[in-house]
Amino acid sequence: MGLQAYIEERKKDKDLLVMAHVVCGYPSFEDNMQELEIMAEAGVDLVELQFPFSEPSADGPLFVKANEESLKSGTTVDQCFDFMKQASERFPFKILMMGYYNTAFKMGEDVFVQRIKASGGVGYILPDLPVEESSNLHKLSQQAGIEPIILMTPTSSDKRLATLGEASRGMVYVVARKGVTGSKTNMGDDVISLVKRCRQHTNVPMGVGFGISSKADMDFLRGTADLAIVGTAALKTWESSGAKGLKVFFAELMA
Amino acid sequence: MDIFDFSDGREGYYGEYGGVFLPEILHATIEELLTCFRECKADPTFWQDYVALLQNYSGRPTPITHLENLSRQLGGAQIYVKRDDLNHTGSHKINNVMGQGLLCQRLGKRRVIAETGAGQHGFATATMAAKFGYDCKIYMGAVDIARQRPNVFWMENLGAEVISVEDGQKTLKDAVNACMRDWVTNMADTHYILGTACGPHPFPEMVSWFQSIIGMEAREQILKQAGRLPDRVYACVGGGSNAMGIFQGFFDDDSVELIGCEAGGQGVGSYMHSARLAYDDASVGVAQGYKTYFLQNDQGNMNETHSVAAGLDYIGINPIFSYLWEQGKVRFEAATDTEVKEALKLTMRTEGLIPALESTHAFVTAIKEAPTMAKDEIILINQSGRGDKDIFTIADALDDSKWKSFIAGKADQYRTENK
Ligand SMILES: Cc1ncc(COP(=O)(O)O)c(C=O)c1O
């Protein structure tokens, strides 16, 4: 089943799906596995596994630290793909690769696509790869049956959204505000109107991310978005209160 | 040769290098910048205003000096130096900064941010911001703050806020990342004044355009002063802005050999250097918004870099040079930290010049090659900056006991005052 069909299927029982995020190898792959267990139990629908990169210029302080520490402890691309394979065999949620383009460029775009496929991933998010530079990768992805996730943003003009909409497959990642990952977003009418604007240019499901941290945010997004994307808030919880805290976090978030 | 005459669909590419690899949120901002830059480049009054500003504010044109003593001592080619160290704020960085300052007025933005390594670009940006009335924030790696304190002092006193970047290697590349993070948040009122010919299009072209004033002046001056074109032109290469600046003056002169001098740090095989093209350790990758040769591992993560000169201590090289190197148009060599210290001593004692540690890399290579050339051959070195900012590093390198006891005395004085 393709990503879009999967999301539509899951949406029959729930009005708002959840996509969660872990940085591979931070604090460790064992911790990552525990986090995923908790996410699966809570009913998370989709998980992005971030492959650490040395120059994470689109990330905020917590993920910057996570990328850095993971690399310092020796995390490799092979380990990330192995982990993706284990996780995709073990859990019911679908998995996306998330990272920076150099990771894909360095191994070769065809190898990148094949390795995601072979590891059970259904797509990838490369925030520093604009559509202008994606045509070969998108073609390879289509042949392999995995999805490139396009980002739409508050600064995108309607003309730009049309271009992005044309290229979108599986789902779109709507960036709720300017800035890097991590800080709080004030969910307001502008987020609703942004998603509405994005929907005019594509029929794929809409995930909204950046700064989502609470049940209130979820309630706000219900009826507007198809998925809520939760990143930093979960890692922050894991760091401050471990497995117990993370269970409570997802239980409250998804109540 | 016009490397900026892009073919259809290849705007911003030099061979396979360059491009724009940025988060979608910056797409509109970079388009806005490109449109504004194209207007400026097409408008002759913009360039006239730019030149006038540098003449009135920064002392351009900077002269060319014949190093008669050094040439005689080496017994080979006649060495001439383009004196961009004589600019206001002490380096070529101000050329680019004044240009982008004028462009920023057209953009209608009132806040500027910049990364800095040696602090020369930050110093120039803080100076420009004070003059033009922009709010100014400078990002600088913690390691670089510690080794270039005099420039931090001036930036802060000129009214800029200097942020110590504590991520990664805490040097220039990490300061670039910090700027990107600021820019994706504040692009509505903020222009990012990138300090070298790297980063996403149009920065490599734009910075090269502003720096081309060095080469335009230099070509005319050497013809007048030496009676003919130089045989070789040397410039140090961090990101590559001063080298692009002087080389562009000679792109159409096939008899002139162009030599880029990178930071060899602790030498070949040490993995403690910043030589992307002169050594074999770099490979093609995409980071910090552009595609070029980077010092990275086989997974695409950047390696640690090193140089005694903070301004050369960087992972990537401007994409134009990756292309021109492949085409055989520019030769690349590296100078080690040790060679740099020796060349600096020689230059000070024989000529009374104090080049910045960055610029001294170009002197090293020229000094090595001059004796192998004939006495009527001509070398031109770009002295991109002056060494005042390096007083702490140089004093350490020379193990200057009088300086050390002076600093110790100052420290005692401050300690007593603070009690
Ligand atoms: C005096 C001086 N020269 C050269 C450089 C290197 O930069 P680029 O290669 O862009 O000229 C710097 C950078 O800080 C510098 O301060």
Side-chain angles (χ1 to χ4, degrees):
Chain A
M1 190 179 355
L3 179 58
Q4 180 165 358
Y6 169 77
I7 292 171
E8 280 161 4
E9 184 65 31
R10 299 278 281 204
K11 275 208 76 183
K12 285 181 184 156
D13 305 325
K14 291 193 253 189
D15 48 8
L16 184 64
L17 307 191
V18 171
M19 176 155 94
H21 181 124
V22 302
V23 177
C24 290
Y26 181 81
S28 68
F29 281 105
E30 291 74 50
D31 288 56
N32 291 157
M33 197 53 95
Q34 277 189 54
E35 292 168 296
L36 293 190
E37 273 166 20
I38 292 164
M39 290 168 184
E41 236 165 76
V44 163
D45 304 279
L46 207 60
V47 170
E48 41 179 333
L49 296 183
Q50 181 165 7
F51 287 33
F53 181 50
S54 59
E55 317 304 316
S57 51
D59 279 299
L62 188 63
F63 282 168
V64 170
K65 187 184 93 177
N67 276 265
E68 206 173 309
E69 294 293 322
S70 176
L71 289 174
K72 230 183 250 170
S73 69
T75 299
T76 63
V77 168
D78 282 350
Q79 288 175 332
C80 295
F81 277 124
D82 285 348
F83 183 73
M84 183 184 278
K85 187 156 201 308
Q86 287 174 39
S88 65
E89 283 166 1
R90 179 158 164 195
F91 300 112
F93 49 66
K94 297 262 186 211
I95 296 178
L96 298 172
M97 179 276 174
M98 186 264 160
Y100 290 79
Y101 176 56
N102 203 37
T103 304
F105 177 79
K106 204 71 183 117
M107 75 183 80
E109 293 183 342
D110 45 348
V111 175
F112 174 70
V113 165
Q114 289 311 322
R115 291 199 73 175
I116 291 177
K117 180 86 183 160
S119 309
V122 297
Y124 54 86
I125 307 169
L126 299 171
D128 64 337
L129 183 68
V131 281
E132 286 76 13
E133 299 287 349
S134 307
S135 54
N136 184 53
L137 192 54
H138 285 193
K139 198 179 73 202
L140 293 167
S141 307
Q142 199 171 3
Q143 284 161 5
I146 66 169
E147 318 285 8
I149 309 305
I150 298 281
L151 281 81
M152 293 185 171
T153 79
T155 61
S156 310
S157 65
D158 286 328
K159 183 160 167 269
R160 184 67 180 166
L161 288 179
T163 306
L164 298 172
E166 193 74 33
S168 60
R169 305 276 180 276
M171 63 174 276
V172 159
Y173 190 133
V174 181
V175 176
R177 57 158 168 76
K178 296 174 190 170
V180 289
T181 56
S183 32
K184 180 97 189 92
T185 301
N186 285 321
M187 293 294 162
D189 293 345
D190 44 348
V191 176
I192 294 180
S193 63
L194 173 61
V195 177
K196 272 195 188 137
R197 223 154 55 80
C198 295
R199 283 203 197 275
Q200 285 169 6
H201 301 281
T202 175
N203 293 323
V204 305
M206 297 276 152
V208 175
F210 273 50
I212 292 171
S213 61
S214 66
K215 180 167 185 320
D217 294 336
M218 297 281 291
D219 289 341
F220 179 85
L221 289 176
R222 232 176 285 278
T224 293
D226 300 298
L227 294 102
I229 303 170
V230 184
T232 305
L235 181 53
K236 211 181 261 172
T237 307
W238 179 261
E239 293 214 311
S240 64
S241 42
K244 231 182 187 165
L246 195 66
K247 264 182 211 167
V248 175
F249 173 83
F250 276 107
E252 283 176 0
L253 189 79
M254 297 170 73
Chain B
M1 179 175 85
D2 187 3
I3 42 173
F4 303 115
D5 185 10
F6 303 112
S7 60
D8 276 353
R10 297 296 289 167
E11 160 125 24
Y13 270 95
Y14 311 92
E16 64 166 300
Y17 311 107
V20 179
F21 294 86
L22 285 178
E24 186 56 37
I25 192 109
L26 281 173
H27 178 81
T29 307
I30 213 86
E31 287 286 299
E32 174 192 28
L33 176 61
L34 180 59
T35 306
C36 184
F37 169 57
R38 287 275 168 259
E39 282 167 16
C40 293
K41 202 171 175 180
D43 176 1
T45 65
F46 183 88
W47 186 261
Q48 284 160 15
D49 291 348
Y50 167 66
V51 173
L53 177 61
L54 286 174
Q55 283 173 351
N56 301 331
Y57 193 65
S58 192
R60 296 210 79 90
T62 59
I64 274 187
T65 307
H66 183 195
L67 306 194
E68 290 175 73
N69 302 332
L70 187 63
S71 305
R72 200 180 315 114
Q73 187 171 327
L74 295 172
Q78 297 306 306
I79 301 174
Y80 289 78
V81 172
K82 174 65 172 165
R83 301 291 307 282
D84 255 53
D85 60 308
L86 294 178
N87 271 302
H88 179 38
T89 72
S91 83
H92 72 292
K93 295 287 181 189
I94 196 152
N95 303 331
N96 168 45
V97 165
M98 284 297 157
Q100 291 201 46
L102 289 173
L103 181 135
C104 190
Q105 285 182 328
R106 291 207 184 185
L107 280 171
K109 298 192 173 178
R110 43 163 302 284
R111 176 177 180 268
V112 294
I113 54 173
E115 85 294 343
T116 196
Q120 290 300 103
H121 176 58
F123 182 10
T125 303
T127 301
M128 182 280 289
K131 180 172 167 56
F132 283 61
Y134 299 134
D135 285 341
C136 178
K137 195 180 258 189
I138 304 295
Y139 292 92
M140 188 168 184
V143 167
D144 292 336
I145 286 184
R147 55 179 166 172
Q148 307 277 213
R149 191 74 219 182
N151 279 340
V152 177
F153 173 83
W154 289 123
M155 285 185 258
E156 289 180 340
N157 280 284
L158 285 159
E161 188 184 349
V162 181
I163 305 292
S164 174
V165 178
E166 308 287 342
D167 313 318
Q169 193 184 316
K170 304 181 174 54
T171 56
L172 185 54
K173 76 172 178 68
D174 308 292
V176 172
N177 291 335
C179 279
M180 292 287 182
R181 292 184 191 114
D182 184 311
W183 210 23
V184 298
T185 313
N186 302 306
M187 71 290 251
D189 72 342
T190 299
H191 174 55
Y192 176 15
I193 304 199
L194 224 156
T196 189
C198 291
H201 183 64
F203 282 108
E205 179 184 351
M206 183 165 72
V207 176
S208 297
W209 186 53
F210 289 131
Q211 294 294 2
S212 69
I213 194 166
I214 305 173
M216 274 183 209
E217 290 174 5
R219 189 176 189 281
E220 219 180 286
Q221 289 167 321
I222 195 99
L223 282 174
K224 205 159 160 198
Q225 234 165 295
R228 66 178 188 83
L229 288 170
D231 297 282
R232 299 183 194 177
V233 179
Y234 298 84
C236 70
V237 180
S241 69
N242 85 88
M244 271 304 291
I246 195 156
F247 290 172
Q248 282 173 100
F250 305 94
F251 271 175
D252 293 326
D253 302 311
D254 288 337
S255 66
V256 181
E257 191 186 10
L258 307 173
I259 300 111
C261 307
E262 294 180 284
Q266 297 176 8
V268 182
S270 66
Y271 296 100
M272 289 296 282
H273 63 78
S274 309
R276 288 98 0 150
L277 299 179
Y279 295 170
D280 277 340
D281 299 336
S283 60
V284 181
V286 176
Q288 307 208 310
Y290 67 115
K291 185 188 287 185
T292 194
Y293 278 84
F294 285 103
L295 288 162
Q296 58 181 331
N297 64 20
D298 61 358
Q299 315 254 307
N301 288 307
M302 299 301 140
N303 289 334
E304 201 179 326
T305 55
H306 165 81
S307 171
V308 67
L312 307 186
D313 191 349
Y314 179 62
I315 49 174
I317 188 162
N318 96 55
I320 307 167
F321 279 161
S322 289
Y323 173 65
L324 294 178
W325 173 67
E326 275 187 359
Q327 299 293 308
K329 181 79 185 168
V330 181
R331 168 158 68 91
F332 282 86
E333 302 290 344
T336 64
D337 290 354
T338 312
E339 291 171 328
V340 163
K341 286 167 205 162
E342 289 308 312
L344 182 59
K345 277 193 270 185
L346 179 65
T347 311
M348 288 196 288
R349 293 298 172 93
T350 56
E351 291 291 349
L353 292 182
I354 312 174
L357 285 169
E358 289 77 14
S359 322
T360 310
H361 285 69
F363 281 77
V364 168
T365 313
I367 288 168
K368 272 192 218 167
E369 297 184 3
T372 69
M373 297 168 69
K375 285 201 174 66
D376 60 352
E377 288 191 282
I378 295 173
I379 276 176
L380 177 62
I381 304 172
N382 194 28
Q383 184 170 340
S384 55
R386 58 175 178 249
D388 308 37
K389 70 180 174 61
D390 300 318
I391 193 162
F392 288 91
T393 310
I394 296 171
D396 279 353
L398 304 182
D399 200 20
D400 190 303
S401 56
K402 287 180 188 163
W403 172 261
K404 283 183 182 172
S405 63
F406 162 71
I407 295 291
K410 265 289 179 200
D412 286 343
Q413 179 197 331
Y414 291 149
R415 224 172 276 129
T416 328
E417 283 172 13
N418 284 340
K419 263 183 194 153

Short mmCIF file of all heavy atoms in Angstrom, two decimals, chain A residues 33-60:
data_model
loop_
_atom_site.label_atom_id
_atom_site.label_comp_id
_atom_site.label_asym_id
_atom_site.label_seq_id
_atom_site.Cartn_x
_atom_site.Cartn_y
_atom_site.Cartn_z
N MET A 33 15.06 2.43 20.13
CA MET A 33 14.14 1.31 20.04
C MET A 33 13.06 1.40 21.12
O MET A 33 11.88 1.15 20.86
CB MET A 33 14.91 -0.01 20.13
CG MET A 33 14.15 -1.23 19.64
SD MET A 33 13.47 -1.05 17.95
CE MET A 33 14.77 -1.81 16.97
N GLN A 34 13.47 1.79 22.31
CA GLN A 34 12.48 1.98 23.39
C GLN A 34 11.49 3.07 23.05
O GLN A 34 10.29 2.94 23.31
CB GLN A 34 13.20 2.37 24.67
CG GLN A 34 13.77 1.20 25.46
CD GLN A 34 14.27 1.70 26.82
OE1 GLN A 34 13.55 2.35 27.58
NE2 GLN A 34 15.53 1.41 27.11
N GLU A 35 12.01 4.16 22.48
CA GLU A 35 11.12 5.27 22.09
C GLU A 35 10.10 4.77 21.08
O GLU A 35 8.90 5.08 21.17
CB GLU A 35 11.94 6.42 21.46
CG GLU A 35 12.84 7.15 22.44
CD GLU A 35 13.84 8.08 21.72
OE1 GLU A 35 14.69 7.57 20.96
OE2 GLU A 35 13.77 9.28 21.91
N LEU A 36 10.58 3.99 20.10
CA LEU A 36 9.67 3.50 19.06
C LEU A 36 8.61 2.55 19.64
O LEU A 36 7.45 2.58 19.23
CB LEU A 36 10.45 2.78 17.95
CG LEU A 36 11.37 3.65 17.09
CD1 LEU A 36 11.88 2.86 15.88
CD2 LEU A 36 10.70 4.93 16.61
N GLU A 37 9.01 1.73 20.62
CA GLU A 37 8.04 0.85 21.28
C GLU A 37 6.92 1.66 21.90
O GLU A 37 5.73 1.34 21.75
CB GLU A 37 8.73 0.03 22.38
CG GLU A 37 9.34 -1.26 21.87
CD GLU A 37 10.30 -1.87 22.88
OE1 GLU A 37 10.22 -1.55 24.09
OE2 GLU A 37 11.15 -2.68 22.44
N ILE A 38 7.31 2.73 22.58
CA ILE A 38 6.31 3.58 23.23
C ILE A 38 5.42 4.25 22.18
O ILE A 38 4.20 4.33 22.33
CB ILE A 38 7.02 4.64 24.12
CG1 ILE A 38 7.69 3.93 25.30
CG2 ILE A 38 6.04 5.71 24.59
CD1 ILE A 38 8.71 4.78 26.03
N MET A 39 6.04 4.70 21.11
CA MET A 39 5.28 5.35 20.03
C MET A 39 4.29 4.36 19.41
O MET A 39 3.14 4.70 19.13
CB MET A 39 6.22 5.90 18.97
CG MET A 39 7.04 7.10 19.45
SD MET A 39 8.39 7.51 18.30
CE MET A 39 9.21 8.82 19.22
N ALA A 40 4.75 3.14 19.18
CA ALA A 40 3.88 2.13 18.57
C ALA A 40 2.70 1.81 19.50
O ALA A 40 1.55 1.75 19.06
CB ALA A 40 4.67 0.86 18.28
N GLU A 41 3.00 1.66 20.78
CA GLU A 41 1.95 1.36 21.75
C GLU A 41 0.91 2.47 21.80
O GLU A 41 -0.29 2.21 21.94
CB GLU A 41 2.59 1.25 23.13
CG GLU A 41 2.32 -0.06 23.84
CD GLU A 41 3.27 -0.21 25.01
OE1 GLU A 41 3.03 0.47 26.03
OE2 GLU A 41 4.27 -0.95 24.85
N ALA A 42 1.40 3.72 21.70
CA ALA A 42 0.49 4.86 21.76
C ALA A 42 -0.33 5.00 20.48
O ALA A 42 -1.28 5.77 20.41
CB ALA A 42 1.28 6.14 22.01
N GLY A 43 0.07 4.25 19.44
CA GLY A 43 -0.70 4.32 18.20
C GLY A 43 -0.20 5.33 17.19
O GLY A 43 -0.95 5.78 16.31
N VAL A 44 1.08 5.69 17.31
CA VAL A 44 1.68 6.61 16.33
C VAL A 44 1.59 5.95 14.94
O VAL A 44 1.76 4.75 14.80
CB VAL A 44 3.15 6.92 16.72
CG1 VAL A 44 3.92 7.51 15.55
CG2 VAL A 44 3.17 7.86 17.92
N ASP A 45 1.31 6.75 13.92
CA ASP A 45 1.02 6.20 12.59
C ASP A 45 2.22 6.19 11.66
O ASP A 45 2.29 5.39 10.73
CB ASP A 45 -0.09 7.04 11.94
CG ASP A 45 -1.32 7.08 12.82
OD1 ASP A 45 -2.09 6.12 12.79
OD2 ASP A 45 -1.48 8.08 13.57
N LEU A 46 3.16 7.13 11.90
CA LEU A 46 4.27 7.31 10.97
C LEU A 46 5.46 7.81 11.79
O LEU A 46 5.28 8.61 12.71
CB LEU A 46 3.83 8.36 9.95
CG LEU A 46 4.39 8.39 8.55
CD1 LEU A 46 4.10 7.10 7.81
CD2 LEU A 46 3.78 9.56 7.78
N VAL A 47 6.66 7.33 11.44
CA VAL A 47 7.85 7.81 12.17
C VAL A 47 8.91 8.23 11.17
O VAL A 47 9.17 7.52 10.19
CB VAL A 47 8.41 6.71 13.10
CG1 VAL A 47 9.77 7.12 13.66
CG2 VAL A 47 7.44 6.42 14.24
N GLU A 48 9.53 9.40 11.41
CA GLU A 48 10.69 9.79 10.59
C GLU A 48 11.95 9.48 11.38
O GLU A 48 12.08 9.88 12.54
CB GLU A 48 10.62 11.25 10.14
CG GLU A 48 10.13 12.23 11.18
CD GLU A 48 10.11 13.68 10.70
OE1 GLU A 48 10.89 14.04 9.80
OE2 GLU A 48 9.32 14.46 11.25
N LEU A 49 12.86 8.75 10.74
CA LEU A 49 14.15 8.44 11.35
C LEU A 49 15.18 9.40 10.76
O LEU A 49 15.48 9.35 9.56
CB LEU A 49 14.58 7.01 11.02
CG LEU A 49 13.70 5.87 11.54
CD1 LEU A 49 14.33 4.52 11.18
CD2 LEU A 49 13.53 5.97 13.06
N GLN A 50 15.69 10.29 11.61
CA GLN A 50 16.67 11.26 11.10
C GLN A 50 18.06 10.64 11.10
O GLN A 50 18.56 10.18 12.12
CB GLN A 50 16.67 12.54 11.94
CG GLN A 50 17.67 13.57 11.41
CD GLN A 50 17.46 14.98 11.96
OE1 GLN A 50 16.64 15.21 12.85
NE2 GLN A 50 18.21 15.93 11.43
N PHE A 51 18.69 10.63 9.92
CA PHE A 51 20.08 10.19 9.79
C PHE A 51 20.95 11.39 10.16
O PHE A 51 20.82 12.45 9.54
CB PHE A 51 20.37 9.76 8.34
CG PHE A 51 19.78 8.44 7.93
CD1 PHE A 51 18.56 8.00 8.44
CD2 PHE A 51 20.44 7.63 7.01
CE1 PHE A 51 18.00 6.78 8.05
CE2 PHE A 51 19.90 6.41 6.61
CZ PHE A 51 18.68 5.99 7.13
N PRO A 52 21.83 11.26 11.16
CA PRO A 52 22.57 12.43 11.61
C PRO A 52 23.51 13.00 10.54
O PRO A 52 24.09 12.25 9.76
CB PRO A 52 23.35 11.92 12.82
CG PRO A 52 23.42 10.45 12.66
CD PRO A 52 22.19 10.04 11.92
N PHE A 53 23.63 14.31 10.53
CA PHE A 53 24.49 15.03 9.58
C PHE A 53 25.31 16.06 10.36
O PHE A 53 24.83 16.62 11.35
CB PHE A 53 23.63 15.71 8.51
CG PHE A 53 24.41 16.46 7.45
CD1 PHE A 53 25.48 15.85 6.79
CD2 PHE A 53 24.06 17.76 7.10
CE1 PHE A 53 26.19 16.54 5.81
CE2 PHE A 53 24.77 18.45 6.12
CZ PHE A 53 25.83 17.84 5.47
N SER A 54 26.53 16.30 9.89
CA SER A 54 27.42 17.20 10.62
C SER A 54 27.04 18.67 10.51
O SER A 54 27.48 19.48 11.31
CB SER A 54 28.86 17.01 10.12
OG SER A 54 28.93 17.29 8.73
N GLU A 55 26.23 19.03 9.49
CA GLU A 55 25.85 20.45 9.32
C GLU A 55 24.33 20.59 9.29
O GLU A 55 23.76 20.97 8.28
CB GLU A 55 26.42 21.02 8.01
CG GLU A 55 27.87 20.63 7.70
CD GLU A 55 28.82 21.02 8.82
OE1 GLU A 55 28.71 22.13 9.36
OE2 GLU A 55 29.67 20.17 9.17
N PRO A 56 23.66 20.31 10.40
CA PRO A 56 22.19 20.32 10.38
C PRO A 56 21.62 21.74 10.45
O PRO A 56 21.04 22.15 11.46
CB PRO A 56 21.82 19.51 11.62
CG PRO A 56 22.98 19.71 12.56
CD PRO A 56 24.19 19.97 11.72
N SER A 57 21.76 22.50 9.34
CA SER A 57 21.48 23.94 9.42
C SER A 57 19.99 24.28 9.44
O SER A 57 19.63 25.42 9.64
CB SER A 57 22.20 24.67 8.29
OG SER A 57 21.92 24.05 7.07
N ALA A 58 19.11 23.28 9.25
CA ALA A 58 17.67 23.58 9.36
C ALA A 58 17.11 23.18 10.72
O ALA A 58 15.92 23.30 10.96
CB ALA A 58 16.90 22.89 8.23
N ASP A 59 17.97 22.67 11.59
CA ASP A 59 17.51 22.19 12.89
C ASP A 59 17.79 23.19 14.00
O ASP A 59 18.74 23.97 13.93
CB ASP A 59 18.19 20.85 13.22
CG ASP A 59 17.50 19.68 12.54
OD1 ASP A 59 16.30 19.47 12.83
OD2 ASP A 59 18.14 19.00 11.71
N GLY A 60 16.94 23.11 15.05
CA GLY A 60 17.13 23.93 16.24
C GLY A 60 18.09 23.25 17.22
O GLY A 60 18.54 22.13 16.98
#
